[in-house]
Structures are given as structure tokens and as C-alpha cells.
Coordinates of all heavy atoms in Angstrom, one line a residue:
M1 N -154.6 49.6 80.6 CA -153.8 50.3 81.6 C -153.3 51.7 81.0 O -152.6 51.6 79.9 CB -152.6 49.5 82.1 CG -152.0 50.1 83.3 SD -150.7 48.9 83.9 CE -149.9 49.8 85.1
H2 N -153.7 52.8 81.5 CA -153.4 54.1 81.0 C -151.9 54.3 80.8 O -151.4 54.7 79.8 CB -153.9 55.1 82.1 CG -153.9 56.5 81.7 ND1 -154.4 56.9 80.4 CD2 -153.5 57.6 82.3 CE1 -154.2 58.2 80.3 NE2 -153.7 58.7 81.4
E3 N -151.2 53.9 81.8 CA -149.6 54.2 81.8 C -149.0 53.4 80.7 O -148.0 53.8 80.1 CB -149.0 53.8 83.1 CG -149.1 54.9 84.2 CD -150.5 54.9 84.9 OE1 -151.3 54.0 84.6 OE2 -150.7 55.7 85.8
L4 N -149.5 52.2 80.4 CA -148.9 51.4 79.3 C -149.0 52.0 78.0 O -148.0 52.0 77.2 CB -149.6 50.0 79.3 CG -148.9 49.0 78.5 CD1 -147.5 48.7 78.9 CD2 -149.6 47.6 78.5
S5 N -150.1 52.7 77.6 CA -150.2 53.3 76.4 C -149.4 54.6 76.3 O -148.8 55.0 75.3 CB -151.7 53.6 76.0 OG -152.2 54.6 77.0
I6 N -149.2 55.3 77.5 CA -148.4 56.4 77.5 C -147.0 56.1 77.3 O -146.3 56.7 76.5 CB -148.5 57.3 78.9 CG1 -150.0 57.8 79.0 CG2 -147.5 58.3 79.0 CD1 -150.3 58.3 80.4
A7 N -146.5 55.1 78.0 CA -145.2 54.6 77.9 C -144.9 54.1 76.5 O -143.8 54.3 75.9 CB -144.9 53.5 78.9
G8 N -145.9 53.5 75.9 CA -145.8 53.0 74.5 C -145.5 54.1 73.5 O -144.6 54.1 72.7
S9 N -146.3 55.3 73.7 CA -146.1 56.4 72.8 C -144.7 57.1 73.1 O -144.1 57.6 72.2 CB -147.2 57.5 72.9 OG -148.2 57.1 73.7
V10 N -144.3 57.2 74.3 CA -143.0 57.8 74.7 C -141.9 57.0 73.9 O -141.0 57.5 73.3 CB -142.8 57.8 76.2 CG1 -141.3 58.2 76.5 CG2 -143.7 58.8 76.8
V11 N -141.9 55.6 74.1 CA -140.9 54.8 73.4 C -141.0 55.0 71.9 O -139.9 55.2 71.3 CB -141.1 53.3 73.8 CG1 -140.3 52.4 72.9 CG2 -140.8 53.1 75.3
E12 N -142.2 55.0 71.4 CA -142.4 55.2 69.9 C -141.7 56.5 69.4 O -141.0 56.6 68.4 CB -143.8 55.2 69.6 CG -144.2 54.8 68.2 CD -145.6 54.6 68.1 OE1 -146.2 53.8 68.7 OE2 -146.3 55.4 67.2
I13 N -142.0 57.7 70.2 CA -141.5 59.0 69.8 C -140.0 59.0 69.9 O -139.3 59.4 69.0 CB -142.1 60.1 70.7 CG1 -143.6 60.2 70.4 CG2 -141.4 61.4 70.5 CD1 -144.4 61.0 71.4
C14 N -139.4 58.4 70.9 CA -138.0 58.4 71.1 C -137.3 57.6 70.1 O -136.3 58.0 69.5 CB -137.6 57.8 72.5 SG -138.1 58.9 73.9
A15 N -138.0 56.4 69.7 CA -137.3 55.6 68.7 C -137.3 56.2 67.3 O -136.3 56.2 66.6 CB -138.1 54.3 68.6
Q16 N -138.3 57.0 67.1 CA -138.4 57.8 65.8 C -137.4 58.8 65.7 O -136.7 59.0 64.7 CB -139.8 58.4 65.6 CG -140.8 57.6 64.8 CD -142.2 58.2 64.9 OE1 -142.4 59.4 65.3 NE2 -143.2 57.4 64.7
Q17 N -137.3 59.6 66.8 CA -136.3 60.7 66.8 C -134.9 60.2 66.8 O -134.0 61.0 66.5 CB -136.6 61.6 68.1 CG -138.0 62.2 67.9 CD -138.1 63.5 68.8 OE1 -137.3 63.8 69.6 NE2 -139.2 64.3 68.5
A18 N -134.7 59.1 67.4 CA -133.2 58.6 67.4 C -132.8 58.2 66.1 O -131.6 58.1 65.9 CB -133.2 57.4 68.4
Q19 N -133.6 57.9 65.2 CA -133.3 57.5 63.8 C -132.3 56.5 63.7 O -131.3 56.5 63.1 CB -132.8 58.8 63.0 CG -133.9 59.9 62.9 CD -133.5 61.1 62.2 OE1 -132.3 61.5 62.3 NE2 -134.4 61.8 61.6
G20 N -132.5 55.4 64.5 CA -131.6 54.2 64.4 C -130.5 54.2 65.5 O -130.0 53.1 65.7
A21 N -130.3 55.3 66.1 CA -129.3 55.4 67.1 C -129.9 54.8 68.4 O -131.1 54.7 68.5 CB -128.8 56.8 67.4
R22 N -129.0 54.3 69.3 CA -129.5 53.8 70.6 C -129.8 55.0 71.5 O -129.0 55.9 71.7 CB -128.5 52.9 71.2 CG -128.5 51.5 70.6 CD -128.0 50.4 71.5 NE -129.1 49.9 72.4 CZ -130.0 49.0 72.1 NH1 -129.9 48.5 70.9 NH2 -131.0 48.6 72.9
V23 N -130.9 54.9 72.2 CA -131.3 55.9 73.2 C -130.7 55.5 74.6 O -130.8 54.4 74.9 CB -132.8 56.0 73.3 CG1 -133.2 57.0 74.3 CG2 -133.4 56.4 71.9
R24 N -130.0 56.5 75.1 CA -129.3 56.2 76.4 C -130.1 56.7 77.6 O -130.1 56.2 78.6 CB -127.9 56.9 76.4 CG -127.1 56.4 77.5 CD -125.6 56.8 77.3 NE -125.5 58.2 77.2 CZ -124.3 58.8 77.0 NH1 -123.2 58.0 76.9 NH2 -124.2 60.1 76.9
R25 N -130.8 57.9 77.4 CA -131.5 58.5 78.5 C -132.7 59.2 78.0 O -132.5 59.9 77.1 CB -130.5 59.4 79.3 CG -131.1 60.1 80.5 CD -130.0 60.9 81.1 NE -128.9 60.2 81.7 CZ -128.9 59.9 82.9 NH1 -129.8 60.2 83.8 NH2 -127.8 59.2 83.4
V26 N -133.7 59.1 78.8 CA -134.9 59.9 78.4 C -135.4 60.6 79.7 O -135.5 60.0 80.8 CB -136.0 59.0 77.9 CG1 -137.3 59.7 77.7 CG2 -135.6 58.2 76.7
T27 N -135.6 61.9 79.6 CA -136.2 62.7 80.6 C -137.6 63.0 80.4 O -137.9 63.6 79.3 CB -135.3 64.0 80.9 OG1 -134.0 63.6 81.1 CG2 -135.8 64.6 82.2
L28 N -138.5 62.7 81.3 CA -139.9 62.8 81.1 C -140.5 63.8 82.1 O -140.1 63.7 83.3 CB -140.6 61.4 81.3 CG -141.9 61.1 80.6 CD1 -141.9 61.3 79.1 CD2 -142.3 59.7 80.9
E29 N -141.3 64.7 81.7 CA -142.0 65.6 82.7 C -143.3 65.1 82.9 O -144.2 64.9 82.0 CB -142.0 67.0 82.1 CG -140.8 67.8 82.3 CD -141.0 69.3 81.8 OE1 -142.2 69.7 81.6 OE2 -140.0 69.9 81.5
I30 N -143.7 64.9 84.2 CA -145.0 64.4 84.4 C -145.7 65.4 85.5 O -145.1 65.6 86.5 CB -145.0 63.0 85.1 CG1 -144.5 61.9 84.0 CG2 -146.5 62.6 85.5 CD1 -144.5 60.6 84.5
G31 N -146.8 65.9 85.2 CA -147.4 66.8 86.0 C -148.0 66.1 87.1 O -148.6 65.1 87.1
Q32 N -148.0 66.8 88.3 CA -148.5 66.2 89.5 C -150.0 66.0 89.4 O -150.5 65.1 90.2 CB -148.1 67.2 90.7 CG -148.2 66.5 92.0 CD -147.9 67.5 93.2 OE1 -147.8 68.7 92.9 NE2 -147.7 67.0 94.4
L33 N -150.7 66.7 88.6 CA -152.1 66.6 88.5 C -152.6 65.8 87.4 O -153.8 65.6 87.1 CB -152.7 68.1 88.3 CG -152.3 69.1 89.3 CD1 -153.0 70.4 89.0 CD2 -152.6 68.7 90.8
S34 N -151.6 65.1 86.7 CA -152.0 64.3 85.5 C -152.6 63.0 85.8 O -153.0 62.3 84.9 CB -150.8 64.2 84.6 OG -149.8 63.5 85.2
A35 N -152.6 62.6 87.1 CA -153.1 61.3 87.5 C -152.3 60.1 86.9 O -152.8 59.0 86.8 CB -154.6 61.1 87.1
V36 N -151.1 60.4 86.5 CA -150.2 59.3 86.0 C -149.2 59.0 87.1 O -148.6 59.9 87.7 CB -149.4 59.8 84.7 CG1 -148.4 58.9 84.3 CG2 -150.4 60.1 83.6
M37 N -149.0 57.7 87.3 CA -148.1 57.2 88.4 C -146.7 57.1 87.8 O -146.5 56.2 87.0 CB -148.6 55.9 88.9 CG -150.0 55.9 89.3 SD -150.4 55.9 91.0 CE -149.5 54.5 91.5
P38 N -145.8 57.8 88.3 CA -144.4 57.7 87.8 C -143.8 56.3 87.9 O -143.1 55.9 86.9 CB -143.6 58.7 88.7 CG -144.5 59.7 89.1 CD -145.9 59.0 89.2
E39 N -144.1 55.6 88.9 CA -143.6 54.3 89.1 C -144.2 53.3 88.1 O -143.4 52.4 87.6 CB -143.7 53.7 90.5 CG -142.7 54.3 91.6 CD -141.4 54.5 90.9 OE1 -140.7 53.5 90.5 OE2 -140.8 55.7 91.0
A40 N -145.4 53.5 87.7 CA -146.1 52.7 86.8 C -145.5 53.0 85.3 O -145.3 52.1 84.6 CB -147.6 52.9 86.7
I41 N -145.2 54.2 85.1 CA -144.6 54.7 83.9 C -143.2 54.0 83.7 O -142.9 53.5 82.7 CB -144.4 56.2 83.8 CG1 -145.8 56.8 83.5 CG2 -143.5 56.6 82.6 CD1 -146.4 56.7 82.1
R42 N -142.5 54.1 84.8 CA -141.2 53.5 84.8 C -141.2 52.0 84.4 O -140.4 51.5 83.6 CB -140.5 53.6 86.2 CG -139.0 53.6 86.2 CD -138.6 53.8 87.6 NE -138.6 55.2 88.0 CZ -137.8 56.2 87.6 NH1 -136.8 55.9 86.7 NH2 -137.9 57.4 88.0
F43 N -142.1 51.3 85.0 CA -142.2 49.8 84.7 C -142.7 49.6 83.3 O -142.1 48.8 82.6 CB -143.3 49.2 85.8 CG -143.6 47.8 85.5 CD1 -142.7 46.8 85.9 CD2 -144.8 47.4 84.7 CE1 -142.9 45.4 85.6 CE2 -145.0 46.1 84.5 CZ -144.1 45.1 84.9
C44 N -143.7 50.4 82.9 CA -144.2 50.2 81.5 C -143.2 50.5 80.5 O -143.2 49.9 79.3 CB -145.5 50.9 81.3 SG -146.9 50.4 82.4
F45 N -142.4 51.5 80.8 CA -141.4 52.0 79.8 C -140.4 50.9 79.5 O -140.0 50.6 78.4 CB -140.6 53.2 80.5 CG -139.5 53.8 79.6 CD1 -139.8 54.7 78.6 CD2 -138.2 53.4 79.9 CE1 -138.8 55.2 77.8 CE2 -137.2 53.9 79.0 CZ -137.5 54.8 78.0
D46 N -140.0 50.2 80.5 CA -139.1 49.0 80.4 C -139.7 48.0 79.5 O -139.1 47.3 78.6 CB -138.6 48.5 81.7 CG -137.6 49.5 82.3 OD1 -137.0 50.3 81.7 OD2 -137.4 49.3 83.6
V47 N -141.0 47.7 79.8 CA -141.7 46.7 79.0 C -141.8 47.1 77.6 O -141.5 46.3 76.7 CB -143.1 46.5 79.7 CG1 -143.9 45.6 78.8 CG2 -143.0 45.9 81.0
C48 N -142.2 48.4 77.3 CA -142.4 48.9 75.9 C -141.0 49.0 75.2 O -141.0 48.9 74.0 CB -143.1 50.2 75.9 SG -144.8 50.1 76.5
A49 N -140.0 49.3 75.9 CA -138.7 49.6 75.3 C -138.0 48.3 74.8 O -137.1 48.3 74.0 CB -137.8 50.3 76.2
K50 N -138.5 47.2 75.3 CA -137.8 45.9 75.0 C -137.8 45.7 73.5 O -138.8 45.9 72.9 CB -138.6 44.8 75.7 CG -137.7 43.5 75.7 CD -138.3 42.5 76.8 CE -137.7 41.1 76.6 NZ -136.2 41.1 76.2
D51 N -136.6 45.2 73.0 CA -136.5 45.0 71.5 C -136.6 46.2 70.6 O -136.9 46.1 69.4 CB -137.5 43.9 71.0 CG -137.2 42.6 71.7 OD1 -136.0 42.3 72.0 OD2 -138.2 41.9 72.0
T52 N -136.4 47.4 71.2 CA -136.4 48.6 70.4 C -135.1 49.3 70.7 O -134.3 48.8 71.6 CB -137.5 49.6 70.7 OG1 -137.2 50.2 72.1 CG2 -138.8 48.9 70.9
V53 N -134.7 50.4 70.0 CA -133.5 51.2 70.3 C -133.5 51.8 71.6 O -132.5 52.4 72.1 CB -133.2 52.2 69.2 CG1 -133.0 51.5 67.8 CG2 -134.3 53.3 69.1
V54 N -134.7 51.8 72.3 CA -134.8 52.5 73.6 C -134.5 51.5 74.7 O -134.4 51.9 75.8 CB -136.2 53.1 73.7 CG1 -136.3 54.0 74.9 CG2 -136.6 53.9 72.5
E55 N -134.4 50.2 74.3 CA -134.1 49.2 75.4 C -132.9 49.5 76.2 O -131.8 49.9 75.6 CB -134.0 47.8 74.8 CG -133.9 46.8 75.8 CD -133.9 45.3 75.3 OE1 -133.9 45.2 74.1 OE2 -133.9 44.4 76.0
G56 N -133.0 49.5 77.5 CA -131.9 49.8 78.4 C -131.6 51.2 78.7 O -130.8 51.6 79.5
A57 N -132.5 52.1 78.1 CA -132.3 53.5 78.4 C -132.7 53.9 79.8 O -133.6 53.2 80.4 CB -133.1 54.4 77.4
T58 N -132.0 54.9 80.4 CA -132.4 55.3 81.7 C -133.6 56.3 81.6 O -133.6 57.1 80.7 CB -131.2 56.1 82.4 OG1 -130.0 55.2 82.3 CG2 -131.5 56.5 83.8
L59 N -134.5 56.1 82.4 CA -135.7 57.0 82.4 C -135.7 57.9 83.6 O -135.7 57.5 84.8 CB -137.0 56.2 82.4 CG -138.3 56.9 82.3 CD1 -138.4 57.8 81.0 CD2 -139.5 56.1 82.5
D60 N -135.5 59.2 83.3 CA -135.6 60.2 84.5 C -137.0 60.7 84.4 O -137.4 61.2 83.4 CB -134.5 61.3 84.2 CG -133.2 60.8 84.5 OD1 -133.0 59.9 85.3 OD2 -132.2 61.3 83.9
I61 N -137.6 60.8 85.6 CA -138.9 61.4 85.6 C -138.9 62.6 86.5 O -138.4 62.6 87.7 CB -140.0 60.4 86.2 CG1 -140.1 59.3 85.2 CG2 -141.2 61.1 86.5 CD1 -141.1 58.1 85.6
V62 N -139.3 63.7 86.0 CA -139.3 65.0 86.7 C -140.8 65.3 87.0 O -141.6 65.4 86.1 CB -138.7 66.2 85.9 CG1 -138.8 67.4 86.8 CG2 -137.3 65.8 85.5
V63 N -141.3 65.3 88.3 CA -142.6 65.5 88.6 C -142.8 67.1 88.7 O -142.1 67.7 89.5 CB -143.1 64.9 89.9 CG1 -144.5 65.2 90.3 CG2 -143.0 63.4 89.7
M64 N -143.7 67.6 87.9 CA -143.9 69.0 87.9 C -145.1 69.4 88.8 O -146.2 68.8 88.7 CB -144.3 69.5 86.4 CG -143.2 69.1 85.4 SD -141.6 69.9 85.7 CE -141.9 71.5 85.2
P65 N -144.8 70.3 89.8 CA -145.9 70.6 90.7 C -147.1 71.3 90.0 O -147.0 71.9 89.0 CB -145.2 71.6 91.7 CG -144.0 72.1 91.0 CD -143.6 71.1 89.9
G66 N -148.3 71.1 90.6 CA -149.5 71.7 90.1 C -149.6 73.1 90.5 O -149.2 73.5 91.5
A67 N -150.1 74.0 89.6 CA -150.4 75.5 89.9 C -151.6 75.9 89.2 O -151.9 75.4 88.1 CB -149.1 76.2 89.5
A68 N -152.2 76.9 89.7 CA -153.4 77.4 89.2 C -153.5 78.9 89.3 O -152.8 79.5 90.2 CB -154.7 76.8 89.7
R69 N -154.2 79.6 88.4 CA -154.4 81.0 88.6 C -155.9 81.3 88.9 O -156.8 80.6 88.4 CB -154.1 81.7 87.2 CG -154.2 83.2 87.3 CD -154.0 83.9 86.0 NE -152.7 83.6 85.5 CZ -152.4 82.8 84.4 NH1 -153.4 82.4 83.7 NH2 -151.2 82.6 83.9
C70 N -156.1 82.1 89.9 CA -157.5 82.4 90.3 C -158.1 83.4 89.3 O -157.5 84.5 89.0 CB -157.5 83.0 91.7 SG -159.1 83.6 92.2
L71 N -159.2 83.0 88.8 CA -159.8 83.9 87.7 C -160.6 85.1 88.4 O -161.0 86.0 87.7 CB -160.8 83.1 86.9 CG -160.2 82.0 86.0 CD1 -161.2 81.2 85.2 CD2 -159.1 82.6 85.1
A72 N -160.7 85.1 89.7 CA -161.4 86.2 90.3 C -160.4 87.3 90.7 O -160.6 88.5 90.4 CB -162.2 85.6 91.6
C73 N -159.2 86.9 91.4 CA -158.4 87.9 91.8 C -157.0 87.8 91.1 O -156.2 88.8 91.3 CB -158.2 87.8 93.4 SG -157.2 86.4 93.9
G74 N -156.7 86.9 90.3 CA -155.5 86.8 89.6 C -154.3 86.2 90.3 O -153.2 86.1 89.8
A75 N -154.5 85.8 91.6 CA -153.4 85.1 92.4 C -153.0 83.8 91.8 O -153.9 83.1 91.1 CB -153.9 85.0 93.8
T76 N -151.8 83.4 92.0 CA -151.4 82.1 91.6 C -151.3 81.2 92.9 O -150.8 81.7 93.9 CB -150.0 82.2 90.9 OG1 -150.1 83.1 89.8 CG2 -149.5 80.8 90.4
L77 N -151.8 80.0 92.8 CA -151.6 79.2 94.0 C -151.2 77.8 93.6 O -151.4 77.4 92.5 CB -153.0 79.1 94.8 CG -154.2 78.7 94.0 CD1 -155.2 78.1 95.1 CD2 -154.9 79.9 93.4
A78 N -150.5 77.1 94.5 CA -150.0 75.8 94.3 C -151.1 74.8 94.6 O -151.9 75.0 95.5 CB -148.8 75.5 95.2
L79 N -151.2 73.7 93.8 CA -152.2 72.7 93.9 C -151.6 71.3 94.0 O -150.7 71.1 93.2 CB -153.2 72.8 92.9 CG -154.2 74.0 92.7 CD1 -154.9 73.8 91.5 CD2 -155.1 74.1 94.0
D80 N -152.1 70.5 94.8 CA -151.6 69.0 94.6 C -152.8 68.1 94.2 O -152.7 66.9 94.1 CB -150.9 68.5 95.8 CG -151.7 68.7 97.2 OD1 -152.9 69.0 97.1 OD2 -151.0 68.5 98.2
V81 N -154.0 68.7 94.0 CA -155.1 68.1 93.4 C -155.7 69.1 92.4 O -155.4 70.3 92.4 CB -156.2 67.8 94.5 CG1 -155.8 66.7 95.4 CG2 -156.6 69.1 95.3
P82 N -156.4 68.6 91.3 CA -156.7 69.5 90.2 C -157.9 70.4 90.5 O -158.7 70.7 89.6 CB -157.1 68.5 89.0 CG -157.3 67.3 89.7 CD -156.7 67.2 91.1
F83 N -158.1 70.8 91.8 CA -159.1 71.7 92.1 C -158.8 72.3 93.4 O -157.9 71.9 94.1 CB -160.5 71.0 92.2 CG -160.5 69.9 93.1 CD1 -160.7 70.0 94.4 CD2 -160.3 68.6 92.6 CE1 -160.7 68.9 95.3 CE2 -160.3 67.5 93.4 CZ -160.4 67.6 94.8
G84 N -159.5 73.4 93.9 CA -159.1 74.0 95.1 C -159.8 75.3 95.2 O -160.7 75.7 94.5
Q85 N -159.4 76.1 96.3 CA -160.0 77.3 96.5 C -158.9 78.4 96.8 O -157.9 78.1 97.6 CB -160.9 77.2 97.7 CG -161.8 78.4 98.0 CD -162.7 78.2 99.1 OE1 -162.4 77.5 100.1 NE2 -163.9 78.8 99.0
C86 N -159.0 79.5 96.2 CA -158.1 80.6 96.4 C -158.3 81.2 97.8 O -159.4 81.1 98.4 CB -158.3 81.6 95.3 SG -157.2 83.1 95.4
A87 N -157.3 81.9 98.2 CA -157.4 82.6 99.5 C -158.5 83.6 99.5 O -159.1 84.0 100.6 CB -156.1 83.3 99.9
C88 N -158.9 84.1 98.3 CA -160.0 85.2 98.2 C -161.4 84.5 98.3 O -162.4 85.1 98.3 CB -159.8 85.9 96.9 SG -160.4 85.0 95.4
G89 N -161.4 83.1 98.3 CA -162.7 82.4 98.5 C -163.2 81.9 97.2 O -164.2 81.1 97.1
S90 N -162.6 82.3 96.0 CA -163.1 81.8 94.7 C -162.6 80.4 94.4 O -161.5 80.0 94.7 CB -162.6 82.8 93.6 OG -162.8 82.2 92.4
E91 N -163.5 79.6 93.8 CA -163.1 78.2 93.3 C -163.0 78.3 91.9 O -162.9 77.2 91.2 CB -164.1 77.2 93.8 CG -164.1 77.1 95.3 CD -165.2 76.1 95.8 OE1 -165.8 75.4 95.0 OE2 -165.4 76.0 97.0
N92 N -163.0 79.4 91.2 CA -162.9 79.5 89.8 C -161.4 79.7 89.4 O -160.9 80.7 89.3 CB -163.7 80.8 89.4 CG -164.0 80.8 87.9 OD1 -163.8 79.8 87.2 ND2 -164.7 81.8 87.4
L93 N -160.9 78.5 89.2 CA -159.4 78.5 89.0 C -159.1 77.9 87.6 O -159.8 77.1 87.0 CB -158.7 77.5 90.0 CG -159.0 77.8 91.5 CD1 -158.3 76.7 92.4 CD2 -158.5 79.1 91.9
E94 N -158.0 78.4 87.1 CA -157.5 77.9 85.8 C -156.2 77.3 86.0 O -155.3 77.8 86.6 CB -157.3 79.2 84.8 CG -156.8 78.8 83.5 CD -156.3 80.0 82.7 OE1 -156.0 81.0 83.3 OE2 -156.3 79.8 81.4
L95 N -156.1 76.0 85.7 CA -154.9 75.2 85.9 C -153.8 75.8 84.9 O -154.1 75.9 83.7 CB -155.1 73.7 85.6 CG -156.0 73.1 86.7 CD1 -156.3 71.6 86.3 CD2 -155.5 73.2 88.1
I96 N -152.7 76.1 85.4 CA -151.6 76.5 84.5 C -150.4 75.6 84.5 O -149.5 75.7 83.7 CB -151.1 77.9 84.9 CG1 -150.8 78.1 86.4 CG2 -152.1 79.0 84.6 CD1 -150.1 79.5 86.8
S97 N -150.3 74.7 85.4 CA -149.2 73.7 85.4 C -149.7 72.4 86.2 O -150.5 72.6 87.0 CB -148.0 74.3 86.0 OG -147.0 73.3 86.1
G98 N -149.0 71.4 85.8 CA -149.2 70.2 86.6 C -150.0 69.1 85.8 O -150.2 67.9 86.3
Q99 N -150.4 69.4 84.6 CA -151.2 68.4 83.8 C -150.4 67.9 82.7 O -150.8 67.1 81.8 CB -152.5 69.1 83.3 CG -153.5 69.3 84.3 CD -154.8 69.8 83.8 OE1 -154.8 70.9 83.1 NE2 -155.9 69.1 84.0
Q100 N -149.2 68.4 82.5 CA -148.3 68.1 81.3 C -147.7 66.7 81.4 O -147.6 66.1 82.5 CB -147.3 69.1 81.1 CG -146.2 69.2 82.2 CD -146.5 70.1 83.3 OE1 -147.6 70.1 83.9 NE2 -145.6 71.1 83.6
L101 N -147.5 66.2 80.3 CA -146.8 64.9 80.2 C -145.9 65.0 78.9 O -146.5 65.0 77.9 CB -147.7 63.7 80.2 CG -146.9 62.4 80.5 CD1 -147.9 61.5 81.2 CD2 -146.3 61.8 79.3
K102 N -144.6 65.3 79.1 CA -143.9 65.5 77.8 C -142.5 65.0 78.0 O -141.9 64.9 79.1 CB -144.0 66.9 77.4 CG -143.2 67.9 78.4 CD -143.2 69.3 77.7 CE -142.4 70.2 78.6 NZ -142.5 71.6 78.2
I103 N -141.9 64.8 76.9 CA -140.5 64.4 76.8 C -139.6 65.6 76.9 O -139.8 66.5 76.0 CB -140.2 63.5 75.6 CG1 -141.0 62.2 75.6 CG2 -138.7 63.1 75.5 CD1 -141.0 61.5 74.2
R104 N -138.9 65.8 77.9 CA -138.1 67.0 78.0 C -136.8 67.0 77.3 O -136.3 67.8 76.6 CB -137.8 67.3 79.5 CG -137.0 68.7 79.7 CD -136.4 68.7 81.1 NE -137.4 69.2 82.0 CZ -137.1 69.5 83.3 NH1 -136.0 69.4 83.8 NH2 -138.1 69.8 84.1
Q105 N -136.2 65.7 77.3 CA -134.8 65.5 76.8 C -134.6 64.1 76.4 O -135.2 63.2 77.0 CB -133.9 66.0 77.8 CG -132.6 66.6 77.2 CD -131.7 67.0 78.4 OE1 -132.0 66.9 79.6 NE2 -130.4 67.4 78.1
M106 N -133.7 63.9 75.5 CA -133.4 62.6 75.1 C -131.9 62.5 74.7 O -131.5 63.4 74.0 CB -134.2 62.1 74.0 CG -134.1 60.7 73.5 SD -135.1 60.4 72.1 CE -134.0 60.7 70.8
E107 N -131.2 61.5 75.2 CA -129.8 61.3 74.8 C -129.6 60.1 74.0 O -130.1 59.1 74.4 CB -128.9 61.2 76.1 CG -128.5 62.6 76.7 CD -127.7 62.2 78.0 OE1 -126.9 61.3 78.0 OE2 -128.0 62.9 79.0
V108 N -128.9 60.3 72.9 CA -128.6 59.1 72.1 C -127.1 58.8 72.2 O -126.3 59.7 72.5 CB -129.1 59.2 70.7 CG1 -130.6 59.3 70.5 CG2 -128.3 60.4 70.0
V109 N -126.8 57.6 71.9 CA -125.3 57.2 72.0 C -124.7 57.7 70.7 O -125.2 57.4 69.7 CB -125.3 55.6 72.2 CG1 -123.7 55.3 72.1 CG2 -125.8 55.2 73.4
Ligands
ZN1 ZN1 -158.5 84.6 94.2

């Protein structure tokens, strides 16, 4: 399961950065185009956090909307799937947002 390994690395990174302190809250940015299910991450996060300093931490998930730049005319358009067509007719798009998956913030006790 994809989400399990992602949640595992998130817990690992948080535990390392906490340096022995207890982690109280983690804010995660998940791109809308990353094909990662926030609810699955939430579930896996609790499983992975068990018996670590991250156990019991609140997980906040911020879903980042997808966006792309048209390489033909330079327009920026919103996407909810990782492909699309610009108003100018071009399908030559460069994704500029929505694929990220990163820890935005972490609070320790
Ligand atoms: Zn265009």
C-alpha cells in the first residue's frame, strides 16, 4: 500500500526532527494530483505512529489544488486531474502545483 510507506516516512522524519520530544501536531501538504488519499494517509499515520514519539499527534492535512502552465501561450490553469487542455487548445502543459507531498509544519510538546 502506497499510503502506508508514505505515512511511515512522515512519521520517521517527524520522529527524527523531534529529537526525543513528543510530537503534538503535524501538518501535511498533499497535492490534489498526487494520487494519495488523505483519509488513507490519516489511517496509516496512526498505525505507523504507534509506539513512537509521534503517537497521538494530530494530523492536519492540507490538500493543495492542482495547477499547470500552458507551454504554448503561458496561461495558468487549474486542474483536478494531472492532464488537461488550455483554453488556447494546447495540451502541452507543465504541472506547477498539485503533486507535492510535504511536511509543512510540526509542533512538539
Ligand atoms: Zn494555452
Side-chain angles (χ1 to χ4, degrees):
M1 197 174 170
H2 191 46
E3 279 83 1
L4 190 59
S5 64
I6 294 168
S9 354
V10 170
V11 167
E12 204 172 299
I13 292 165
C14 291
Q16 263 171 21
Q17 298 203 345
Q19 298 179 329
R22 282 206 82 83
V23 177
R24 190 166 61 179
R25 181 183 291 267
V26 177
T27 308
L28 203 61
E29 279 182 17
I30 296 181
Q32 199 181 10
L33 309 180
S34 65
V36 171
M37 311 252 299
E39 283 320 303
I41 287 285
R42 201 179 285 286
F43 175 78
C44 297
F45 179 82
D46 287 342
V47 173
C48 295
K50 196 162 167 39
D51 299 324
T52 73
V53 293
V54 188
E55 184 171 8
T58 305
L59 182 65
D60 287 333
I61 294 177
V62 182
V63 176
M64 305 299 285
R69 186 183 298 115
C70 173
L71 295 178
C73 73
T76 302
L77 55 153
L79 291 178
D80 51 13
V81 288
F83 52 86
Q85 191 177 32
C86 176
C88 76
S90 170
E91 293 179 7
N92 199 1
L93 307 177
E94 179 193 23
L95 295 177
I96 52 176
S97 177
Q99 291 181 303
Q100 66 269 59
L101 196 147
K102 65 174 189 186
I103 300 168
R104 181 194 281 186
Q105 213 181 350
M106 180 181 98
E107 272 176 45
V108 295
V109 177

